[in-house]
């Protein structure tokens, strides 16, 4: 039972990081039908940007205000980079065959990864200890303050995003653009602005995810975006790519699945089992768990 | 007559790559008119409508609405000027509810006009009955009502209707055409595209017959209905 509860807590923590990152994949896919392979590397970049802000801007302070500033500044930097990424790598290819955009996404991924390596070096860097090491021991089940922060903040962000998309006018414009871009234009929706907005939201959520990865695992490397990006991408597919609650659910499920495999089988097998899970889900439900769309009558 | 021209297309040419779909057409719509564009499948009717809305870009020619030249505007700016478009195939947002679709129709307005919504529900009571239902679950005819209603939500001066009768049960076609008449009576100018020439000409004041990207014929509805060419080509000889 201890292992179960411990892995439940761990699973929810990594699950919320997967979910935050998965949202970026799923939102871009929803509107553009494009897998933004560079997203994982943007997430990695955010951990390094956060490291630099900590060192050079907030003067290595770990006060609450400094930590909040690191999160906000990193999110802003990544949002701007996200918009630049869309402008440079994707917008010129909007009318081009789908494969061109995929190749461009892979190219952008390499550029960002190598950019991180050139700026911050190829060796592992240690992310600062922004949150004090506080642990609570519930009869053998240990939960850290970092875990609580990651889980709570992720849930708050996800609920805020959900409400924004479901309840606001701009949210309705996002949903309309993801269903039918031309019909959205006929409503007066500026689809280019919506796409920029999607990159802003996805990249800043990814930025928070990247900082969480730094906080939780501490060691950050220039190429870690590949691994976390892949997990998040799998999470988005499991939930039903393009579906926002699906990405949240997929992230959490994948986190839990990973933690339980690590707890009951072995952590070295977690990757293999993740892909077995992906394959099984794609066989049973090719559209993902929440990916079912109402068929339109003709 | 010429000083109440609301909308005018001059020498419009539109191509898909190297293939010319519209080869220099000109037409006028006066304020308050119902004007029909007729023509067989592939004549270029939808291309014309999409070019008016700037979803397609003209290769040459001009499209004027009031004092505005449309050809250089982005598509999302057109509805704000007062032209809305109910597209071919309806293109309702299937996974959104009827009411969400109608609300999106008013996106260009600073706020949702309750009076317009009430008017749309008045025109198409079925939409009100089904307002919480997903648009994709409506019948074809109901989706067409929704597409027209959604286009009305921006309080347009002119509405473009692309084949509102396409693939719809005849009884619903009748109901929809009756409401198009109502819409025109309320002061909205209507540019209507139809393959169903007889029904369209009964409704319209004037019409243009499009034939592979050119205007083959134009005139009042009565003239067109009486014309042998139209009778042969679109109405079936003895009709
Ligand atoms: N997306 C497209 N790409 C290439 N050709 C097209 C496209 N859409 C329409 N066409 C061609 O343009 C011509 C006019 O089509 P369209 O405007 O849809 O006609 P209509 O609405 O009168 O049936 C047709 O020959 C059609 O094949
Ligand atoms: Mg057509």
């Amino acid at each position: 039972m201890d292992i179960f509860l411990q892995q439940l807590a761990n699973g929810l923590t990594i699950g919320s990081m997967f979910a935050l990152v998965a949202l970026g994949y799923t939102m871009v896919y929803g509107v553009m039908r494009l897998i933004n392979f560079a997203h994982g590397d943007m997430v990695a970049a955010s951990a390094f940007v956060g490291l630099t802000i900590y060192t050079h801007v907030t003067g290595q302070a770990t006060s609450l205000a400094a930590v909040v500033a690191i999160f906000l500044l990193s999110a802003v930097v990544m949002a701007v980079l996200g918009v630049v990424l869309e402008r440079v790598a994707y917008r010129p290819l909007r009318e081009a065959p789908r494969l061109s955009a995929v190749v461009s996404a892979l190219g952008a991924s390499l550029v960002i990864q190598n950019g991180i390596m050139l700026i911050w070096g190829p060796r592992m860097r240690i992310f600062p200890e922004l949150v004090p090491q506080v642990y609570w021991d519930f009869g053998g089940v240990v939960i850290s303050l970092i875990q609580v922060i990651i889980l709570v903040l992720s849930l708050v962000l996800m609920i805020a995003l959900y409400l924004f998309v479901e309840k606001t006018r701009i949210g309705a414009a996002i949903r309309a653009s993801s269903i039918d871009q031309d019909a959205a234009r006929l409503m007066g929706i500026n689809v280019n602005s919506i796409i920029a907005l999607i990159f802003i939201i996805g990249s800043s959520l990814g930025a928070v995810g990247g900082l969480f990865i730094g906080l939780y695992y501490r060691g950050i490397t220039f190429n870690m975006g590949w691994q976390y990006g892949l997990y998040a991408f799998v999470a988005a597919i499991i939930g039903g790519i393009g579906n926002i609650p699906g990405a949240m659910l997929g992230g959490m499920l994948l986190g839990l699945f990973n933690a339980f495999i690590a707890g009951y089988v072995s952590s070295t097998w977690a990757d293999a089992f993740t892909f077995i899970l992906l394959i099984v889900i794609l066989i049973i439900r090719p559209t993902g768990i929440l990916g079912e769309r109402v068929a339109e009558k003709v | 007559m010429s000083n109440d021209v609301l909308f005018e297309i001059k020498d419009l040419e539109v191509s898909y790559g190297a293939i010319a779909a519209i080869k220099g057409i000109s037409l006028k719509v006066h304020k308050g008119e119902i004007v029909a564009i007729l023509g067989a499948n592939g004549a270029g009717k939808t291309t014309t409508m999409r070019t008016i809305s700037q979803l397609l870009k003209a290769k040459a020619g001009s499209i004027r609405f009031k004092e505005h030249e449309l050809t250089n505007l982005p598509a999302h700016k057109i509805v704000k000027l007062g032209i809305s478009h109910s597209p071919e195939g309806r293109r309702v947002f299937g996974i959104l509810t009827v009411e969400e679709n109608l609300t999106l129709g008013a996106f260009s307005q600073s706020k949702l006009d309750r009076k317009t919504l009430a008017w749309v529900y008045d025109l198409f009571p079925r939409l009100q009955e089904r307002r919480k239902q997903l648009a994709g679950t409506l019948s074809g005819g109901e989706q067409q009502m929704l597409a027209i209603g959604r286009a009305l939500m921006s309080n347009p001066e002119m509405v473009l209707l692309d084949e509102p009768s396409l693939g719809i049960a005849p009884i619903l076609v009748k109901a929809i055409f009756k409401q198009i008449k109502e819409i025109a009576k309320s002061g909205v100018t209507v540019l209507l595209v139809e393959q169903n020439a007889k029904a369209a000409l009964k409704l319209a004041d004037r019409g243009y017959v499009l034939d592979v990207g050119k205007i083959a014929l134009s005139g009042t509805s009565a003239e067109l209905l009486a014309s042998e060419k139209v009778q042969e080509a679109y109405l079936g000889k003895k009709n």
Side-chain angles (χ1 to χ4, degrees):
Chain A
M1 198 58 189
D2 280 0
I3 293 194
F4 179 83
L5 290 176
Q6 184 66 62
Q7 294 312 96
L8 183 68
N10 296 349
L12 289 174
T13 309
I14 50 179
S16 31
M17 294 190 276
F18 291 157
L20 283 181
V21 180
L23 284 167
Y25 283 105
T26 232
M27 290 183 80
V28 167
Y29 184 87
V31 176
M32 300 173 76
R33 301 294 179 271
L34 165 83
I35 306 292
N36 174 15
F37 285 110
H39 185 55
D41 302 288
M42 295 282 284
V43 168
S46 134
F48 287 91
V49 167
L51 173 67
T52 294
I53 292 172
Y54 167 79
T55 320
H56 296 293
V57 181
T58 56
Q60 313 206 352
T62 52
S63 64
L64 181 62
V67 174
V68 170
I70 291 173
F71 271 78
L72 290 179
L73 283 174
S74 306
V76 169
V77 170
M78 296 320 294
V80 171
L81 287 177
V83 171
V84 171
L85 172 71
E86 192 270 320
R87 277 291 168 99
V88 173
Y90 302 135
R91 188 171 301 185
L93 297 170
R94 251 333 141 77
E95 308 298 324
R98 190 73 39 97
L99 190 59
S100 312
V102 172
V103 173
S104 186
L106 291 170
S109 163
L110 286 176
V111 168
I112 295 169
Q113 216 177 91
N114 285 286
I116 299 173
M117 190 179 71
L118 285 174
I119 298 172
W120 286 282
R123 296 218 319 275
M124 177 185 278
R125 302 285 298 267
I126 301 301
F127 195 81
E129 194 181 296
L130 295 177
V131 177
Q133 302 266 2
V134 177
Y135 294 93
W136 294 280
D137 189 334
F138 301 97
V141 179
V142 179
I143 294 174
S144 69
L145 177 60
I146 289 184
Q147 285 183 311
V148 174
I149 289 176
I150 290 176
L151 185 60
V152 171
L153 201 54
S154 302
L155 287 178
V156 167
L157 286 173
M158 287 191 270
I159 291 168
L161 176 67
Y162 182 78
L163 292 177
F164 174 68
V165 171
E166 291 295 320
K167 304 285 180 212
T168 68
R169 192 178 122 84
I170 303 294
I174 292 175
R175 287 185 292 156
S177 305
S178 70
I179 299 168
D180 185 334
Q181 290 194 8
D182 274 350
R185 289 187 178 96
L186 293 180
M187 306 298 112
I189 295 167
N190 182 345
V191 175
N192 280 343
S193 306
I194 294 293
I195 288 174
L197 178 64
I198 289 293
F199 272 84
I200 287 172
I201 296 174
S203 302
S204 33
L205 291 177
V208 174
L211 296 175
F212 282 167
I213 288 168
L215 278 178
Y216 193 61
Y217 295 108
R218 302 296 305 279
I220 55 176
T221 52
F222 75 95
N223 57 0
M224 70 177 185
W226 198 84
Q227 186 196 345
Y228 295 114
L230 192 61
Y231 269 110
F233 175 54
V234 170
I237 303 243
I238 287 175
I241 188 126
N243 184 304
I244 289 174
M248 302 175 186
L249 184 66
M252 287 298 184
L253 284 179
L254 192 63
L256 289 171
F257 181 79
N258 246 285
F260 286 121
I261 293 295
Y264 289 107
V265 186
S266 142
S267 57
T268 45
W269 281 95
D271 276 4
F273 275 92
T274 299
F275 282 94
I276 292 172
L277 176 71
L278 176 66
I279 291 165
V280 169
I281 286 187
L282 288 182
I283 290 170
I284 307 173
R285 268 186 91 80
T287 54
I289 297 170
L290 298 183
E292 197 174 42
R293 302 208 146 176
V294 178
E296 275 166 54
K297 280 193 193 165
V298 183
Chain B
M1 204 66 173
S2 73
N3 56 355
D4 64 350
V5 170
L6 178 69
F7 174 80
E8 183 166 19
I9 293 179
K10 265 195 191 147
D11 305 318
L12 181 71
E13 295 175 30
V14 188
S15 303
Y16 294 101
I19 302 157
I22 300 296
K23 305 164 187 169
I25 65 168
S26 299
L27 61 84
K28 276 182 199 168
V29 179
H30 302 97
K31 198 164 170 48
E33 271 189 316
I34 303 181
V35 173
I37 301 180
L38 311 172
N41 198 9
K45 306 181 296 297
T46 297
T47 302
T48 305
M49 297 295 243
R50 289 174 60 82
T51 311
I52 296 171
S53 289
Q54 298 304 312
L55 293 173
L56 289 173
K57 291 293 164 189
K59 199 175 120 198
S62 83
I63 305 175
R64 287 191 76 78
F65 177 67
K66 297 192 292 186
E67 70 276 21
H68 309 285
E69 171 61 43
L70 306 187
T71 46
N72 290 318
L73 293 175
H76 67 92
K77 294 230 164 117
I78 302 301
V79 62
K80 188 100 193 162
L81 298 180
I83 302 181
S84 65
H85 183 163
S86 163
E88 181 181 67
R90 309 178 286 262
R91 308 283 284 267
V92 296
F93 301 110
I95 56 171
L96 303 185
T97 66
V98 167
E99 196 142 284
E100 285 173 322
N101 270 270
L102 292 173
T103 307
L104 277 162
F107 186 83
S108 59
Q109 307 305 103
S110 51
K111 68 189 222 331
L112 183 73
D113 183 354
R114 292 274 150 199
K115 267 189 9 221
T116 310
L117 183 64
W119 179 51
V120 168
Y121 280 151
D122 224 34
L123 285 169
F124 303 113
R126 284 206 198 202
L127 296 182
Q128 181 157 31
E129 284 162 29
R130 307 192 172 208
R131 65 185 200 282
K132 298 283 171 215
Q133 209 168 309
L134 295 186
T137 66
L138 300 179
S139 78
E142 291 162 348
Q143 287 189 14
Q144 187 61 60
M145 294 173 183
L146 180 56
I148 297 173
R150 185 179 67 175
L152 295 176
M153 288 300 295
S154 61
N155 287 318
E157 277 180 71
M158 179 166 93
V159 63
L160 313 176
L161 304 177
D162 195 343
E163 296 218 46
S165 73
L166 190 72
I168 287 172
I171 176 131
L172 283 182
V173 172
K174 245 186 152 163
I176 288 170
F177 273 49
K178 197 172 143 245
Q179 297 314 56
I180 294 174
K181 192 103 198 170
E182 276 308 305
I183 292 163
K185 265 195 209 150
S186 80
V188 181
T189 303
V190 177
L191 183 57
L192 170 73
V193 153
E194 265 300 336
Q195 271 186 68
N196 185 342
K198 200 171 147 193
L201 288 174
K202 270 197 200 154
L203 187 68
D205 301 305
R206 291 189 302 116
Y208 294 85
V209 177
L210 206 54
D211 188 23
V212 279
K214 289 199 163 141
I215 287 174
L217 212 62
S218 66
T220 65
S221 295
E223 284 165 2
L224 291 177
L225 276 167
S227 126
E228 270 184 25
K229 239 169 136 179
V230 170
Q231 296 216 344
E232 271 172 38
Y234 304 102
L235 301 178
K237 242 207 168 122
K238 197 119 178 77
N239 211 331

